[in-house]
Amino acid sequence: VLVGSAAHVLTEMLTVSKNRIHFIGIDGTSGRMYGQNAKIQIGVTTATTDVAAVKVTGIRNSFTNIKFISNNTLTQAAYTVLEAGEYTAYTCCEFYKSTHLDVTGAAEFVANGDSTQCVNCTFGSLADQTVGAVIRPTVLCTGGISTGAKLRDNSFIGCQFWRKAGNAAARMIYGANATDVERLLLFKGCSFISNALGSATPGAAVTFGAAQTQGTVLVQDCTSVDCTLMVTASVGI
């Protein structure tokens, strides 16, 4: 599926339940980490089932050179992409959500997929500030956001995670439970960047609500900017 060099506005959540479908954004370059010309976005809707702009449940699908945007203010629309498939690959994609900046369970990307791979992608925003003492991560790892799905063997390679924090409670990566990561969650060569223009410094870039009992979180060759800690201790990182 070739996605043209324009904003493609959805009127309801796009569910990718088929297998081996490849979405390729038409751009002047194949290496843009953010600001891609091909955009898939959703505005304000009324259906409570529109929890994200895109939900993926199929097997071995891929997305390349696409910016995903959610401007949906519907209470249930807390995410931009809800990943719950198997072996999905995202390459040179951006994930942005302008709303729900005061909701602790909202996020640009939900990692509920099995063997998801994200390479050279950007998550979050350095422009939109979080509001209040909420976690509001860029990537939410809490299992079961998509019923019956959870994170298994996920990799983020060379990615950027952006946040403009309105409170020290803000995080880039978060999962609430002890069993959110199964087997492995890898961040390799990634940057966790907090905008200095934000009114607060995040207490940590990567953390969980409990020590992981079913998997390991590996943060390899990464860096953080304007975060008190890059990772927190005693939670399996």
Side-chain angles (χ1 to χ4, degrees), residues 54 56 79-85 88 90 95 105-118 123 137-146 149-156 161 172-176 179-182 184-187 208:
V54 178
V56 181
Y79 322 112
T80 302
V81 171
L82 173 49
E83 170 55 48
T88 309
Y90 298 88
F95 306 84
E108 278 75 15
F109 187 87
V110 175
N112 274 185
D114 187 333
S115 305
T116 308
Q117 301 169 63
C118 298
F123 303 81
T138 62
V139 175
L140 181 64
C141 302
T142 303
I145 301 297
S146 179
K150 67 179 301 185
L151 184 161
R152 297 180 177 92
D153 295 335
N154 278 208
S155 296
F156 294 82
F161 303 90
M172 281 77 163
I173 313 298
Y174 181 75
T179 59
D180 287 335
V181 175
E182 188 170 309
L184 175 66
L185 170 57
L186 169 66
F187 298 94
F208 288 81

Side-chain angles (χ1 to χ4, degrees), residues 9-192:
V9 181
L10 305 170
T11 57
E12 62 182 2
M13 182 175 70
L14 172 64
T15 299
V16 182
S17 58
K18 293 183 179 295
N19 303 329
R20 298 171 177 84
I21 306 298
H22 308 290
F23 296 80
I24 302 172
I26 299 173
D27 207 327
T29 175
S30 60
R32 211 187 294 266
M33 292 184 68
Y34 50 92
Q36 292 83 358
N37 286 324
K39 294 179 282 188
I40 297 176
Q41 67 185 72
I42 194 167
V44 180
T45 63
T46 58
T48 58
T49 52
D50 294 338
V51 298
V54 178
K55 179 180 180 180
V56 181
T57 60
I59 299 171
R60 288 180 170 83
N61 295 302
S62 70
F63 300 85
T64 305
N65 300 336
I66 298 172
K67 181 173 182 175
F68 299 93
I69 303 170
S70 173
N71 299 318
N72 200 340
T73 58
L74 185 72
T75 299
Q76 293 81 2
Y79 322 112
T80 302
V81 171
L82 173 49
E83 170 55 48
E86 184 178 10
Y87 291 108
T88 309
Y90 298 88
T91 305
C92 294
C93 291
E94 181 182 359
F95 306 84
Y96 170 69
K97 184 164 180 59
S98 63
T99 63
H100 296 72
L101 295 169
D102 58 349
V103 178
T104 199
E108 278 75 15
F109 187 87
V110 175
N112 274 185
D114 187 333
S115 305
T116 308
Q117 301 169 63
C118 298
V119 179
N120 294 339
C121 294
T122 299
F123 303 81
S125 171
L126 294 176
D128 297 330
Q129 183 165 287
T130 61
V131 179
V134 297
I135 296 172
R136 183 53 169 84
T138 62
V139 175
L140 181 64
C141 302
T142 303
I145 301 297
S146 179
T147 303
K150 67 179 301 185
L151 184 161
R152 297 180 177 92
D153 295 335
N154 278 208
S155 296
F156 294 82
I157 310 297
C159 294
Q160 298 187 91
F161 303 90
W162 289 353
R163 179 55 74 230
K164 184 178 181 182
N167 187 280
R171 301 288 185 265
M172 281 77 163
I173 313 298
Y174 181 75
N177 308 306
T179 59
D180 287 335
V181 175
E182 188 170 309
R183 300 192 295 257
L184 175 66
L185 170 57
L186 169 66
F187 298 94
K188 183 176 181 180
C190 295
S191 300
F192 305 95

